[in-house]
Amino acid sequence: VEAVAVKNKNPLLGVFFSFNLKIDEDVKRLAQEKDVPIIASDVIYRLVDFYEEWKQAFKRKVEQQLEQQLPPVARVKVLKQYVFRFSKPVIFGVRVELGKIKPNLKLMDSEGQYLGEIRQIQKNKESVSVAQQGDEVALSCTGFDAKVLQRHDYLYPYLSDEDIDTWLNKGKTLLSAEQIQLLQHFKRKRLLKI
């Protein structure tokens, strides 16, 4: 029961340890119901090793969930000399300078204003599901036209206040120092508008 209370405060500490004991079936059932892991061993140093392995696996799982749920923290430089179509959809070149981007990602400007959405990404005339840092790709976007591109040197995935807070509070270990600075920049911009 105490492990459940601790787990609610810090999931990495809400663990039931068993050293050199047989675990009662009722305890196993309760731990399973409450999603509290049981780490057991007859050798004390193995108990520590098993806990470290479990902790790393738990962190990877949380990281994967965050990456799936949240828009990425990224920055793309608009290559203004590569505008291939001016509207409906606008098609233009970018260089991914930070993070990664993918289709169906909403975009914003440096002020945090929503602009539109990436429909497709092409690299070397082939559609791709993701563009990584350093890639130069063509984006097909809806919601804005080429005039918007003339006013902006950089575009960013649209991040809500909640997305920014979640990245800063739960996903900081996944981000580079530059990505953290970018999130803090957008957080300050939003606070100044209030």
Side-chain angles (χ1 to χ4, degrees), residues 14-19 21 23-32 35-41 47 50 54:
V15 178
F16 182 82
F17 289 98
S18 172
F19 172 62
L21 293 172
I23 302 168
D24 186 62
E25 289 303 315
D26 290 338
V27 172
K28 286 181 184 178
R29 192 173 357 91
L30 181 62
Q32 188 172 8
D35 196 29
V36 173
I38 296 175
I39 298 176
S41 179
L47 200 60
F50 292 158
W54 172 84

Side-chain angles (χ1 to χ4, degrees), residues 44 124 134 162:
I44 192 78
N124 300 324
E162 186 178 314

Side-chain angles (χ1 to χ4, degrees), residues 23 28 33 38 44 48 56 61 64 70 77 80 114 116 125 129 132 146 149-150 158 162 168 170 183 185 188:
I23 302 168
K28 286 181 184 178
E33 286 173 11
I38 296 175
I44 192 78
V48 173
Q56 292 307 316
K61 181 181 169 186
Q64 289 170 346
L70 296 173
K77 179 167 182 51
K80 296 181 183 187
Y114 172 79
K125 298 183 182 180
S129 61
Q132 304 281 351
L149 300 177
Q150 297 309 312
Y158 181 81
E162 186 178 314
L168 289 173
K170 295 181 180 176
L183 287 169
H185 161 79
R188 279 191 303 276

Side-chain angles (χ1 to χ4, degrees), residues 17 24 31 35 37 53 59 79-80 104 118 120 123 139 143 145 153 167 170 176 182 186:
F17 289 98
D24 186 62
D35 196 29
E53 289 171 14
K59 284 180 179 180
L79 302 175
K80 296 181 183 187
N104 302 317
I118 299 173
Q120 187 179 40
K123 184 176 180 180
L139 300 184
D145 59 27
D153 293 328
W167 272 120
K170 295 181 180 176
S176 68
L182 186 60
F186 283 117

Side-chain angles (χ1 to χ4, degrees), residues 71-79 92 94-102 105-110 118 131-137 139 152-159 176-183 185-186:
V73 180
R75 178 180 64 232
V76 296
K77 179 167 182 51
V78 176
L79 302 175
F92 58 101
V94 299
R95 180 182 310 111
V96 182
E97 291 193 345
L98 184 66
K100 62 184 175 184
I101 57 171
K102 55 190 175 185
L105 190 64
K106 294 178 174 134
L107 294 173
M108 66 181 180
D109 63 16
S110 61
I118 299 173
Q132 304 281 351
Q133 189 166 327
D135 288 348
E136 288 191 359
V137 296
L139 300 184
H152 301 290
D153 293 328
Y154 295 97
L155 301 175
Y156 309 86
Y158 181 81
L159 296 160
S176 68
E178 196 172 357
Q179 287 173 307
I180 292 169
Q181 286 176 338
L182 186 60
L183 287 169
H185 161 79
F186 283 117

